[in-house]
Amino acid sequence: MALKIVKGSIDRMFDKNLQDLVRGIRNHKEDEAKYISTCIDEIKQELKQDNIAVKSNAVCKLTYLQMLGYDVSWAAFNIVEVMSSSKFTYKRIGYLAASQCFHESTDVIMLTTNQIRKDLSSPNQYDTGVALTGLSCFVTPDLARDLANDIMTLMSHTKPYIRKKAVLIMYKVFLKYPESLRPAFPRMKEKLEDPDPGVQSAAVNVICELARRNPKNYLSLAPLFFKLMTSSTNNWVLIKIIKLFGALTPLEPLVGTAGSYCLSSVSVLISLSSGMPNHSASIQALCIVSRPLSVLSLFVVKYLGLLAMSKILKTHPKSVQSHKDLILQCLDDKDESIRLRALDLLYGMVSKKNLMEIVKKLMLHVDKAEGTTYRDELLTKIIDICSQSNYQYITNFEWYISILVELTRLEGTRHGHLIASQMLDVAIRVKAIRAFAVAQMATLLDNAHLLTGNTQHSGICEVLYAAAWICGEFSEHLEDPMATLEAMLRPKVATLPGHIQAVYVQNAAKLFSTVLCGQEGAPADSKVAQETSQLLIDRLPVFVQSDNLEVQERASCILQLVKYIQKLQQKDVEVAEEVTALFAGELNPVAPKAQKKVPVPEGLDLDAWINEPPSGSESEDEGRKTKGKAVFAREESRHTKPRYTEVDEKELAKRREVRKAEQANNPFYIKASPSSQKVYQEAVGVEHIPVVQIDLSVPLKVPGMPMSDQYVKLEEERRQKNKADRKKDKKKRREKGRQRRGDSGPESEEDITPAHMVDIVTEEMPENALPINSSLTSRCITDVCDIQGNLHDGSQVVVSVIFENKCDSFIKSMEFNVMDSLNSKLQRPEGAGPHDSLTVPFHLPPGISSEARFIFSVQSIVMPQKLKGTLTFIVKDSSTHEKLDFKLHFTCTSYLITTPCYSVLCPDLNLRLNCFDAYAKLLESGDLKGSSLKLEGINQPFHHLLARICFHHHFSVVERIDSCASMYSRSIQGHHVCLLVKTADQTVSIDAKCDEPGLLRNVLDEIKLTFSQC
Amino acid sequence: MMHFLLLFSRQGKLRLQKWFTPIPEREKKKIVRDMTTMVLGRKPRSCNFLHWKDLKIVYKKYASLYFCCGLDAEENELLALEVLHRYVELLDKYFGNVCELDIIFNFEKAYFILDEFLLGGEVQETSKQVVSRSIEASDMLQEAEIDNSDYDLELGWP
């Protein structure tokens, strides 16, 4: 025995330890793999020995090799052996190896349960610590279940070293074995107030993680965290808590202070003292506060600043817009991360005024950008920015078309189809632009070789699809249809993808009809018409031979048609009219929701079964039961029949699911999703078409195309002219404004008058139409609404809207929708999504007005607010969809409720005194903060003035003595607002007090506005 | 939560890897490969954050070593930078002016320090002193064991 030990130790003198291994690997750089395989052989030998020291050395080396990417899973059992050594030195190595190599599917993990339990209860805290650390890496659901109790006891261990580890690992246990959460939670909560800061921070970490997954359950802890936040000096913990509040606030508007932390959590480290966030300041604060962080570079701050801005943008777009230049500068940054962030920001920043400028900048970047991914990103952003909310910001569509045409010059972009769909969309919907668009598209078609030359597979040729269609459909605007027709029938077209060829062929026929129309008027020109037919007959056979089915079919059909026409032409028969009839009728845009508006015919129940379903899976049990007693089968089926008619919602939903699953599995069921176009694309096999590569040394610039820049200039000129015009208008307008002033209704924001109106239907524009605030709508009715910031509980405001039909058609299917803001939300019926619109419960015959009420829930009433909304409706005669944009202005006044103080009217003197006392006490209590206002040049009697305040701003008079009065009102959230109004020599001074200074300031501003308007 | 922490050299050689969530080997290799190419491909004066799948990647270069970690989308990037920095400070304190070679040759020590600092992807101890005290204590424990054992003398554990 002794000999064996001695022999073992001598052997070991020649063993490699870790350092030798590392050195060896570094010395064998050329044949590393070979060297390592010999090392692994040695390690295998070492693992066979009994000596635990040797084994642990071997395991240590294996851990290193594992990191280099070698498979060591074969040694899992040896690792367990080393883990179970009684010596800390080896145990430590064993657990380290386990934490690096084990994963959930390692089967030896099952063997470790008892060993780990033993280590957890070891008297040596470091044994326990090592076991906990290891466990955190490879805990499985089984281990979590078996050890949850042991770890829970460790959470109240005497040593903080163990406690903090136990607390942290509990999170992993919760994840793997969620049942443990309920019993362990009270103890976890206790740990938030542990005397040891390490344990405390560990508990905060765990609860933050938990709360992020399911914030609702942790709302009750908010006060505790609030306490921690104000008392803790540990920055690491503070950041975590701020993040936690960020997760909680969306659910519950906590105390104002906590709410402000939510915002500051965005800008990360804004310290606790920052108070109510001033947003542009918060970005500066971000820079200041992050200075103590030792490792920050300028770039980090830049990145985070942009990130913070994008969050702020959602709530306060104005404050970000002022940083536009800064953000545009960021586009020049070398760092792609920063550039992409800046792009995101731009999207939210555009307005009618700056759109052209921003897009121009972006176009410059497109030209400069290297790397197709970034360039593609730029392209999609440009299109996104321009097309957002129905082209709301575009004032000049000629400019937009030119931008799109310029974008086609991009080599190798993947987004050809995007550009194409934009071209189609604009050309179809903006009638005024068609002539221009057609001219542009004709040039594009004429220069098609430039687009397709290099980029056969890249998708930019998709734009030709749009170009061909637009030229064909609106061919009446073409200057020289003959030339375009010729361009479309060039032999090179046959190299384009199939679906594009198909469009070419079809639209060539449309052009043909236009040419005929133009020529046949004058009989002398019949020769030209015949030449055109000959051209088609010569060129079309190429397409008839196409390997694309669609192209082939269309081409041969049209070819035969043309041949027939040619015959007629030779007999001098006038055919133009008949040919045009082929393509008669205009295409009108249809709203995506139009199908919804088609009323379901009476007696049609879409949910009812057409054929009764075969008794499928759900009735299987029943079926089995009845099988036994087949005699009664008939009777039973009679019983089940009526069930189908009275199934409840749930049942129906379930069946629908089942049916969907069945359809998905059924290969013969034709699903809705794959578009036919895609099929063509795949079928063509473009690769097989011989392609002539053209190398272009000059940049792709389509000749004869107007550049978008000129529009920027034009726009500026136009704007200046408008300005001059507007000055003339001003007087008129002011008068109009006065009439409006009373109601805080829809406002028209006509800063910039669009150059082109985009409309959907131009006929049947009612006479009395009043344009409201959008370039994309035709309008039929006006609505005047009245916000009675009314009673009810603390967060509700009722808005009554009066709809008046001013046109002479019947209006129906009105839907009212408002874009919710963070603060105010339209209350929708249960089950409706957050963007669903509410149906207005009546129809409007011409000339009739009617009122509807909508309830909004409002969180903070301190600030006035504007909400954007839309009203959609159908005018009966045209049965098209119309849209009307409007704005709702929630003033702070509308949050005030007239609360009568009975001091004047009350017959009971005692009550009167009480009331007055209460008022006086309120003023003296010191809870209220003051503010004051001076109005000059008011020459109306004092009681008129008071009446005005009472009427417009919902105040009531508490007491009036001569030229001095005190007034009172309450907000829906219970803020007291007191006014002391004095007047002398046409000057009115108002001293006001309120427990919410922000609210007060806004109310006073509104009062001032009221009087400045009279 | 932090999902992983990687240390690699300018040549893309992995020096330390810590996975806080169980991930299959093949996936790990893919992540390591992606991280090294992504991070090493960055230009020198660019910001320290990247997005990769649904993770935030935060990295920082210290001398010749890149420290790189993957975080949940909700995590704070600055805090992660601080975590990396704190880890470097801890290594520095333990090894005394740490260099890449220290970590290569004593890679298990680097892991032990990390285990005292982070656990399960969360910061376990924010105090530098407490961390180094517990590392020292466990090293002492180890030495005591080795002193007591005649056999282990030549093994070369420091």
Side-chain angles (χ1 to χ4, degrees), chain A residues 199-211:
Chain A
V199 183
Q200 207 179 45
S201 86
V204 169
N205 281 345
V206 171
I207 291 187
C208 285
E209 284 297 316
L210 289 172

Side-chain angles (χ1 to χ4, degrees), chain A residues 955-969:
Chain A
F955 276 87
S956 61
V957 179
V958 181
E959 194 184 33
R960 184 187 158 189
I961 306 163
D962 298 334
S963 60
C964 180
S966 42
M967 307 180 84
Y968 175 76
S969 181

Side-chain angles (χ1 to χ4, degrees), chain A residues 12 66-67 69 88-90 92 100 124 126 161 164-165 172 205 209 234 243 268 293 295 335, chain B residues 15 17 20 42 46-47 74 76 82 85 111 116 122-126 137 139 142 145 151-152:
Chain A
R12 271 188 10 253
Q66 190 265 349
M67 183 171 71
F88 175 69
T89 319
Y90 309 134
R92 205 180 184 189
Q100 293 298 100
N124 182 342
Y126 294 105
Y161 178 76
K164 72 182 179 210
K165 281 185 191 263
K172 294 272 169 183
N205 281 345
E209 284 297 316
N234 187 337
K243 283 243 133 188
V268 192
L293 286 170
V295 289
D335 190 344
Chain B
R15 295 304 181 207
Q17 54 168 350
F20 297 108
R42 304 271 295 167
S46 30
C47 80
E74 303 91 8
N76 187 323
E82 280 297 290
H85 188 71
Y111 277 118
E116 290 301 325
E122 296 286 347
V123 176
Q124 175 189 172
E125 181 55 67
T126 54
D139 279 355
Q142 191 169 314
E145 276 179 358
Y151 309 123
D152 297 336

Side-chain angles (χ1 to χ4, degrees), chain A residues 695-759:
Chain A
D695 264 339
L696 284 175
S697 51
V698 271
L700 283 170
K701 198 173 234 178
V702 185
M705 248 169 229
M707 307 306 274
S708 58
D709 289 3
Q710 74 190 56
Y711 290 104
V712 180
K713 226 181 262 166
L714 264 176
E715 173 71 18
E716 244 151 51
E717 282 168 19
R718 202 167 60 83
R719 211 174 282 167
Q720 255 160 12
K721 211 179 111 205
N722 272 358
K723 229 178 238 169
D725 286 352
R726 219 173 294 159
K727 259 179 205 157
K728 282 182 220 155
D729 275 2
K730 239 178 188 171
K731 259 191 187 165
K732 259 189 195 168
R733 234 176 237 216
R734 208 174 280 160
E735 255 162 53
K736 244 191 215 167
R738 201 175 299 164
Q739 288 164 1
R740 279 260 189 109
R741 173 190 11 91
D743 53 70
S744 40
E747 300 187 358
S748 54
E749 176 200 69
E750 295 164 304
D751 288 340
I752 306 163
T753 39
H756 302 281
M757 283 292 187
V758 192
D759 51 29

Side-chain angles (χ1 to χ4, degrees), chain A residues 365-417:
Chain A
H365 281 281
V366 172
D367 292 338
K368 280 190 290 181
E370 44 198 61
T372 45
T373 35
Y374 178 61
R375 219 168 41 182
D376 279 356
E377 183 69 22
L378 269 171
L379 193 154
T380 37
K381 262 288 144 27
I382 291 177
I383 291 182
D384 273 359
I385 286 175
C386 291
S387 65
Q388 66 174 315
S389 30
N390 258 338
Y391 309 102
Q392 193 185 351
Y393 299 116
I394 295 187
T395 50
N396 187 334
F397 278 92
E398 283 187 17
W399 165 82
Y400 187 46
I401 292 274
S402 325
I403 286 285
L404 288 175
V405 171
E406 270 175 51
L407 283 175
T408 60
R409 294 192 339 238
L410 277 184
E411 280 173 79
T413 177
R414 283 181 294 112
H415 293 298
H417 60 95

Side-chain angles (χ1 to χ4, degrees), chain A residues 40-60:
Chain A
I40 288 184
D41 286 341
E42 280 171 27
I43 290 171
K44 279 185 180 160
Q45 287 304 316
E46 288 167 27
L47 286 175
K48 279 184 192 143
Q49 293 189 32
D50 293 337
N51 192 320
I52 190 71
V54 178
K55 267 188 192 163
S56 98
N57 186 33
V59 164
C60 187

Side-chain angles (χ1 to χ4, degrees), chain A residues 792-826:
Chain A
H792 300 295
D793 63 311
S795 60
Q796 281 192 351
V797 174
V798 179
V799 176
S800 19
V801 183
I802 297 165
F803 295 93
E804 185 177 0
N805 185 354
K806 289 196 169 177
C807 66
D808 28 78
S809 307
F810 194 81
I811 290 180
K812 60 177 185 177
S813 304
M814 285 189 282
E815 288 195 353
F816 176 89
N817 199 7
V818 171
M819 271 215 288
D820 288 345
S821 71
L822 274 183
N823 193 25
S824 317
K825 291 185 172 60
L826 176 60

